[in-house]
Amino acid sequence: MFEAVAFYLFAFLTIAMFFITVTTSQALYALTALAAGMIFISAFFFILGADFLGAIQIIVYTGAVMALYAFGMMFFDTTRDVKEKQGNKFIIVGLATLAAVLVVVIVAVPMLSENIVALYPVVEGIGNTQEVGIVLFTKYLIPFEVAAIMLLVAMIAGIVLAGKKMDLSLTLMNADEIKETEEKNKKVLS
């Protein structure tokens, strides 16, 4: 009974937070609602007994990814209006519906199948964290390392690109200031 009440409560809160994220025009409200939604998603992991994944959800997504989003938002002017090109709404709705149905089918088919066999059987005496570690560092070691390298490269590229934009804006500001100073000097000498 407790699990059902907790599930519906966190489901409502998660959907509400993501709705606020999508519909608000304020970047700070969107980031805050997105962080809250990700924390509520971690509650599902805790309800299911996957404490390790719940903690990782909070640490990685809510902590690191949201900090990265907030850092990225500092480089954009979120106060100006965005002009969107209006495309064919039927195509957008059709593709979104097709994607949603495809996701539901991909998730539901393995659950309904009777031929599912676990690659790593549950070992008595070890917890959830050890089970995740066994699978992650045996079968999925190479993809795990490749993903880590890709994230590192993306982070470095983002910092380099942000640094170039900042350098360019500082250079342009200095050029404008130089022009203003030259004009003031010409007026004083005249």
Side-chain angles (χ1 to χ4, degrees), residues 171-186:
T171 305
L172 293 176
M173 286 181 8
N174 289 336
D176 292 339
E177 290 173 0
I178 290 171
K179 287 180 184 178
E180 290 175 10
T181 306
E182 288 176 356
E183 290 174 5
K184 288 179 184 177
N185 289 339
K186 286 180 184 177

Side-chain angles (χ1 to χ4, degrees), residues 82-187:
V82 177
K83 295 178 184 176
E84 295 183 29
K85 179 182 173 187
Q86 296 294 330
N88 189 352
K89 293 185 180 186
F90 294 113
I91 293 174
I92 294 170
V93 170
L95 289 175
T97 305
L98 180 66
V101 168
L102 188 61
V103 166
V104 169
V105 168
I106 289 172
V107 170
V109 167
M111 286 189 231
L112 299 175
S113 176
E114 296 178 8
N115 297 329
I116 296 177
V117 178
L119 296 175
Y120 294 96
V122 176
V123 179
E124 294 295 326
I126 65 170
N128 189 350
T129 307
Q130 288 88 359
E131 290 177 12
V132 171
I134 289 171
V135 173
L136 191 61
F137 292 114
T138 55
K139 181 178 181 185
Y140 297 109
L141 179 63
I142 301 300
F144 181 73
E145 295 296 329
V146 169
I149 292 170
M150 289 173 54
L151 287 172
L152 178 66
V153 169
M155 182 180 69
I156 292 171
I159 291 170
V160 168
L161 289 174
K164 284 184 180 179
K165 285 183 182 178
M166 286 179 58
D167 289 344
L168 181 63
S169 66
L170 291 174
T171 305
L172 293 176
M173 286 181 8
N174 289 336
D176 292 339
E177 290 173 0
I178 290 171
K179 287 180 184 178
E180 290 175 10
T181 306
E182 288 176 356
E183 290 174 5
K184 288 179 184 177
N185 289 339
K186 286 180 184 177
K187 288 179 183 177

